[in-house]
């Protein structure tokens, strides 16, 4: 057969041949698309929790579950995970010990059948929620300026914080710790600062995020005891005190204490009575520059 004959044969019934070819393509697509197939999807999980829980869930809920669906391959090929709504777990009663995920809970598109769910059930453990007042603890860091010391504090206000959460976690808390009070460079005076409370661990919450802390800084002091210091009676010649001597404890800046001499410590009792003879219980008076002095005993009996 020559070339002209081939061309003539190929051109015969061309329209019918093209129509048959198009029909074959459509038929192939329909048959191929209607074939059943499987596909796995990771679906998000939403949880409906109790509104005002007196119990708290201690087991974690998985953020997603794996769902295997079966259906037409064409439907599966065009299916996107974000097109499928989240799976809702309703545990608002707060008493469920196990929640089962069945196919009716999976919002699968029409034409698709849920064949497998992983996990198909989730065990739940609940715990009572309790509240308890815990003492607040404030520490200090650094040191005041040279020659000064911390005299009082830090004192926190409020003194306690209320912790709320699972009983097993709340009952083991001994102290609520706050940020440390920085004493660096402080001189004499009273200082107040707002300090943040450390965040609690686990599922415990505090009713406060900070406390007001106060410290008092004073001059550094030292003590020294002078024993059996003779008592001087003034205002009446020949008067005698009982006991005739006292102990004196002085509190002063360290450099003043070191420089004190015994002759500078002169305790006195003054007689003011006009009677020629008599006795009286008198207070002992003592003044030491830059020092606080305590006399023991503070009163003596003077006779004249």
């Amino acid at each position: 057969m020559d070339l002209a004959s081939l061309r003539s044969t190929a051109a015969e019934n061309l329209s019918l041949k093209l129509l048959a070819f198009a029909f074959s393509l459509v038929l192939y697509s329909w048959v191929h698309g209607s074939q059943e197939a499987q596909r796995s999807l990771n679906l998000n999980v939403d949880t409906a929790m109790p509104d005002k829980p007196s119990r708290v869930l201690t087991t974690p809920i998985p953020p997603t579950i794996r769902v295997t669906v079966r259906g037409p391959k064409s439907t599966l090929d065009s299916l996107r995970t974000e097109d499928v709504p989240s799976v809702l777990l309703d545990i608002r009663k707060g008493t469920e010990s196990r929640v089962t995920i069945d196919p009716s809970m999976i919002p699968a598109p029409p034409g698709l059948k849920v064949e497998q769910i992983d996990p198909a059930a989730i065990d739940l453990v609940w715990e009572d929620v309790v509240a308890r007042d815990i003492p607040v603890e404030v520490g200090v860091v650094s040191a005041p300026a040279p020659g000064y010391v911390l005299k009082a504090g830090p004192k926190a206000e409020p003194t306690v914080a209320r912790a709320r959460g699972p009983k097993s976690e709340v009952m083991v808390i001994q102290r609520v710790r706050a940020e440390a009070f920085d004493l660096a460079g402080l001189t004499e005076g009273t200082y107040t600062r707002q300090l943040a409370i450390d965040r609690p661990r686990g599922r415990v919450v505090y009713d406060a995020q900070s406390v007001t802390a106060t410290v008092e800084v004073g001059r550094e002091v030292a003590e020294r005891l002078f024993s059996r210091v003779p008592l001087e009676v003034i205002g009446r010649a020949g008067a005698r005190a009982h006991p005739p001597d006292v102990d004196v404890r002085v509190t002063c800046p360290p450099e003043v204490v070191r420089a004190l001499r015994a002759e500078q410590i002169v305790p006195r009792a003054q007689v003011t009575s006009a009677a020629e003879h008599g006795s009286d219980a008198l207070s002992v008076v003592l003044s030491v520059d830059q020092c606080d002095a305590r006399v023991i005993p503070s009163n003596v009996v003077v006779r004249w």
Side-chain angles (χ1 to χ4, degrees):
M1 182 179 291
D2 58 15
L3 182 57
S5 298
L6 288 174
R7 287 178 178 177
S8 175
T9 302
E12 289 180 359
N13 300 318
L14 179 60
S15 59
L16 291 176
K17 293 178 180 179
L18 291 175
L19 181 60
F21 178 72
F23 178 76
S24 299
L25 289 177
V26 171
L27 181 61
Y28 173 82
S29 299
W30 180 80
V31 172
H32 182 74
S34 62
Q35 289 178 346
E36 293 236 326
Q38 282 187 340
R39 182 178 172 188
S40 294
L41 305 170
N42 289 324
L43 301 184
N44 293 326
V45 175
D46 290 337
T47 307
M49 302 291 290
D51 294 332
K52 296 181 179 179
S54 59
R55 307 181 78 201
V56 64
L57 184 65
T58 60
T59 49
I61 298 292
T64 63
I65 59 173
R66 190 170 184 82
V67 177
T68 301
V69 294
R70 173 178 288 276
K73 188 175 186 305
S74 58
T75 303
L76 293 177
D77 288 343
S78 61
L79 180 63
R80 298 182 305 172
T81 301
E82 53 267 27
D83 294 334
V84 183
S86 300
V87 179
L88 178 63
L89 302 183
D90 188 351
I91 53 175
R92 286 175 292 181
K93 291 182 179 179
T95 58
E96 300 87 345
S97 60
R98 183 179 178 87
V99 58
T100 301
I101 308 173
D102 58 57
S104 65
M105 301 170 61
I106 308 300
L112 298 182
K113 178 183 178 182
V114 176
E115 291 207 329
Q116 186 177 1
I117 303 171
D118 183 25
I122 302 172
D123 291 325
L124 305 177
V125 178
W126 299 85
E127 190 173 341
D128 290 337
V129 174
V130 299
R132 176 169 167 251
D133 288 338
I134 313 292
V136 176
E137 182 178 86
V138 180
V140 297
V141 293
S142 304
Y148 295 88
V149 294
L150 177 65
K151 292 183 64 178
K155 180 181 179 182
E157 183 60 41
T159 58
V160 297
R162 173 152 292 198
R164 179 180 174 85
K167 184 177 181 180
S168 63
E169 297 181 20
V170 171
M171 298 308 293
V172 298
I173 302 175
Q174 300 300 317
R175 294 287 186 274
V176 174
R177 298 186 182 275
E179 179 185 0
F181 200 114
D182 191 353
L183 303 177
L186 299 184
T187 56
E188 191 168 14
T190 300
Y191 301 87
T192 300
R193 291 177 184 169
Q194 199 76 13
L195 302 177
I197 289 177
D198 292 349
R199 295 184 62 180
R201 296 181 179 179
R203 289 153 292 182
V204 176
V205 294
Y206 295 146
D207 65 347
Q209 286 75 49
S210 64
V211 294
T212 301
T214 302
V215 299
E216 182 182 353
V217 176
R219 291 278 302 183
E220 183 180 4
V221 295
E223 287 189 351
R224 183 176 174 185
L225 177 65
F226 293 85
S227 300
R228 302 181 63 84
V229 180
L231 179 65
E232 181 180 312
V233 179
I234 59 176
R236 177 71 64 167
R240 295 185 177 182
H242 180 77
D245 49 49
V246 294
D247 292 338
V248 177
R249 186 179 296 276
V250 294
T251 304
C252 328
E255 63 276 10
V256 176
V257 168
R258 288 192 294 268
L260 276 179
R261 302 186 305 276
E263 55 266 27
Q264 295 176 270
I265 310 300
V266 184
R268 294 183 175 90
Q270 182 171 8
V271 178
T272 58
S273 175
E276 184 175 353
H277 300 284
S279 64
D280 201 357
L282 303 176
S283 298
V284 179
V285 178
L286 175 62
S287 178
V288 181
D289 191 32
Q290 301 184 58
C291 299
D292 292 329
R294 181 186 176 197
V295 180
I296 306 172
S298 58
N299 293 279
V300 295
V301 176
V302 177
R303 295 184 176 85
W304 63 92

